[in-house]
């Protein structure tokens, strides 16, 4: 019975990925702004939004953001569906490379204090390791998001 449940969950995740591929692409700037607006004032959410947007794959892949974001009716705020994102990143059939999956799981961990694949940090290149380090610094509250982004408060 557990095998059947796992197969059903796997099929559901695969169907969501296929459905996401049919969503029209949004500009990365629109997605970034909506994520930052929704995260404002919550350090861990700001950190996760920073990592997702600065690394760039999340905001450029309609197949990923289409199934993982929920938008307000006015389109100004986008929140991540963390359970969906974690399931996509943890799936053995994930179409994403190890580095992206590691980043996605790190963001999930910042949000829900769930398991973080620290043993997989070696899959990150220097640029992404710096992004993660800055994201963690944002999560501590010691580095304001506006400062990390190089903008005025």
């Amino acid at each position: 019975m557990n095998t059947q449940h796992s197969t059903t969950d796997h099929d559901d995740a695969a169907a969501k990925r296929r459905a996401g591929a049919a969503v029209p692409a949004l500009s990365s700037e629109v997605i970034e702004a909506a994520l930052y607006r929704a995260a404002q004032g919550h350090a861990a959410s700001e950190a996760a939004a920073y990592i997702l947007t600065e690394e760039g794959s999340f905001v450029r892949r309609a197949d990923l953001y289409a199934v993982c974001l929920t938008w307000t009716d006015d389109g100004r705020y986008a929140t991540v569906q963390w359970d969906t994102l974690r399931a996509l990143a943890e799936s053995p059939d994930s179409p994403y490379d190890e580095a992206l999956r590691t980043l996605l799981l790190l963001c999930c961990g910042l949000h829900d204090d769930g398991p973080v694949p620290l043993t997989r940090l070696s899959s990150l290149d220097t640029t992404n390791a710096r992004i993660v380090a800055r994201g963690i610094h944002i999560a501590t509250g010691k580095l304001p998001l506006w400062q990390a982004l190089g903008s005025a408060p």
Side-chain angles (χ1 to χ4, degrees), residues 11 25 31 34-35 37 44 47 59 61 68 76 103 118 121 143 148 152:
D11 292 343
I31 298 167
L35 283 170
R37 278 188 213 103
V59 297
R61 293 190 66 143
C68 294
R76 291 186 37 81
L103 285 169
L118 297 177
L121 287 176
L143 177 64

Side-chain angles (χ1 to χ4, degrees), residues 43-44 46-47 133-148:
E46 289 178 350
R134 288 183 74 106
I136 291 169
H137 201 182
I138 293 166
T140 67
K142 305 288 188 214
L143 177 64
L145 178 61
W146 64 265
Q147 190 175 6

Side-chain angles (χ1 to χ4, degrees), residues 36 38-48 110-111 138-139 145:
Y36 286 137
Q40 188 173 9
H42 187 263
S45 295
E46 289 178 350
L110 284 169
H111 174 266
I138 293 166
L145 178 61

Side-chain angles (χ1 to χ4, degrees), residues 96-142:
Y96 312 115
D97 66 32
E98 187 73 14
L100 179 56
R101 292 169 66 188
T102 299
L103 285 169
L104 297 176
L105 290 171
L106 285 166
C107 289
C108 290
L110 284 169
H111 174 266
D112 61 19
D113 215 16
V116 178
L118 297 177
T119 58
R120 294 179 9 187
L121 287 176
S122 62
S123 70
L124 302 180
D125 62 21
T126 302
T127 300
N128 286 333
R130 286 184 182 135
I131 290 168
V132 167
R134 288 183 74 106
I136 291 169
H137 201 182
I138 293 166
T140 67
K142 305 288 188 214

Side-chain angles (χ1 to χ4, degrees), residues 37-114:
R37 278 188 213 103
Q40 188 173 9
H42 187 263
S45 295
E46 289 178 350
Y50 176 83
I51 294 168
L52 288 174
T53 59
E54 289 298 303
E55 187 277 333
S57 294
F58 183 84
V59 297
R60 289 190 310 266
R61 293 190 66 143
D63 64 319
L64 183 53
Y65 67 70
V67 297
C68 294
L69 292 181
T70 299
W71 293 80
T72 56
D73 289 340
D74 63 4
R76 291 186 37 81
Y77 301 89
T79 55
V80 176
Q81 299 304 303
W82 296 105
D83 291 340
T84 302
L85 186 62
R86 184 177 290 282
L88 288 172
E90 289 179 337
S91 170
D93 297 332
S94 177
Y96 312 115
D97 66 32
E98 187 73 14
L100 179 56
R101 292 169 66 188
T102 299
L103 285 169
L104 297 176
L105 290 171
L106 285 166
C107 289
C108 290
L110 284 169
H111 174 266
D112 61 19
D113 215 16

